[in-house]
Amino acid sequence: MARPANPQTHARLVGTGGDLVRRQGFHATGVQDVATAAGVPKGSFYNYFATKEGFGLAILDAYWEEIERDHLARLDDRRLNPADRVRAFFRGLSQMHADTGFGPGCLIGNLALELGNTSDPVRERAALLLRRWDAALAACLEGAQADGTLQSGLEPAALAAVLVEAFEGAVMRAKVERGPTAFARFEALLSVFLPKRPKTT
């Protein structure tokens, strides 16, 4: 009889395993590597994940939960106007990458590039998470359009997708260059669409 799953062990496998995959890639990270990092026997891995692909889906979901908790909440911060929320959101993400030395990159983008042609489940999950990101950003851009910060001729949903795509490109460039210059360029691009309002006295 299989031993019942332990939530703490599952969390360690996903947490430490996800960190390994972000740093060294999915294919370069073996099941033994994940198990060792989590402090469990290799065989225990399969008590939690039927396949390594299933593990990939789990670490994607956990990464997205972290993004939702630590970053997407900024888009709902009613203390700021919508444009400032968008700026705060992207600055928070940029800082997250700076804090890790720019090397690990974005797990969604990493797995999409590494497994997009070989794993439909991972590709579809990555696409779903990007659409969720688009939707959350579009809702905030609609608010910016309503208050006149974002010009009326732009479509918030389309602009949200473009900004996500541009930011993911900046993440890749920062990963290659190990520096923040790409994020500075992204922020300059963002200011074209969402110019800062002059302070009123």
Side-chain angles (χ1 to χ4, degrees):
M1 177 180 293
R3 296 175 61 187
N6 183 323
Q8 293 180 334
T9 301
H10 181 274
R12 286 204 310 277
L13 286 165
V14 169
T16 59
D19 288 342
L20 280 176
V21 170
R22 278 187 74 197
R23 291 198 306 271
Q24 60 192 36
F26 187 80
H27 291 308
T29 303
V31 169
Q32 182 64 67
D33 299 323
V34 175
T36 299
V40 302
K42 180 179 179 180
S44 295
F45 177 92
Y46 294 103
N47 291 334
Y48 298 89
F49 312 103
T51 63
K52 191 181 175 190
E53 182 180 61
F55 166 73
L57 294 173
I59 62 174
L60 269 178
D61 288 342
Y63 182 76
W64 179 252
E65 288 172 6
E66 179 183 339
I67 295 297
E68 282 191 315
R69 182 188 69 239
D70 296 341
H71 301 287
L72 277 180
R74 292 187 174 97
L75 295 178
D76 292 322
D77 185 353
R78 303 297 167 173
R79 295 171 298 178
L80 302 175
N81 66 55
D84 283 342
R85 286 180 231 158
V86 173
R87 282 189 279 269
F89 168 69
F90 281 116
R91 283 176 184 163
L93 286 178
S94 297
Q95 187 61 52
M96 177 187 77
H97 291 291
D99 289 344
T100 58
F102 304 101
C106 170
L107 185 64
I108 299 170
N110 292 352
L111 291 190
L113 289 172
E114 191 172 0
L115 301 178
N117 288 331
T118 58
S119 171
D120 280 342
V122 169
R123 178 184 59 77
E124 291 167 1
R125 186 66 55 84
L128 171 64
L129 298 181
L130 289 172
R131 288 194 298 271
R132 288 180 181 172
W133 187 355
D134 290 347
L137 190 56
C140 207
L141 290 172
E142 288 172 3
Q145 197 166 63
D147 71 15
T149 306
L150 179 66
Q151 66 185 61
S152 59
L154 293 172
E155 170 53 49
L159 179 58
V162 167
L163 291 176
V164 169
E165 291 154 7
F167 188 80
E168 283 293 291
V171 171
M172 182 188 71
R173 187 73 177 260
K175 182 174 183 175
V176 170
E177 296 178 344
R178 291 293 197 272
T181 305
F183 293 130
R185 285 193 293 266
F186 174 84
E187 190 164 332
L189 172 68
L190 187 61
S191 70
V192 172
F193 297 106
L194 298 173
K196 290 186 178 180
R197 294 175 172 178
K199 290 184 178 180
T200 58
T201 57

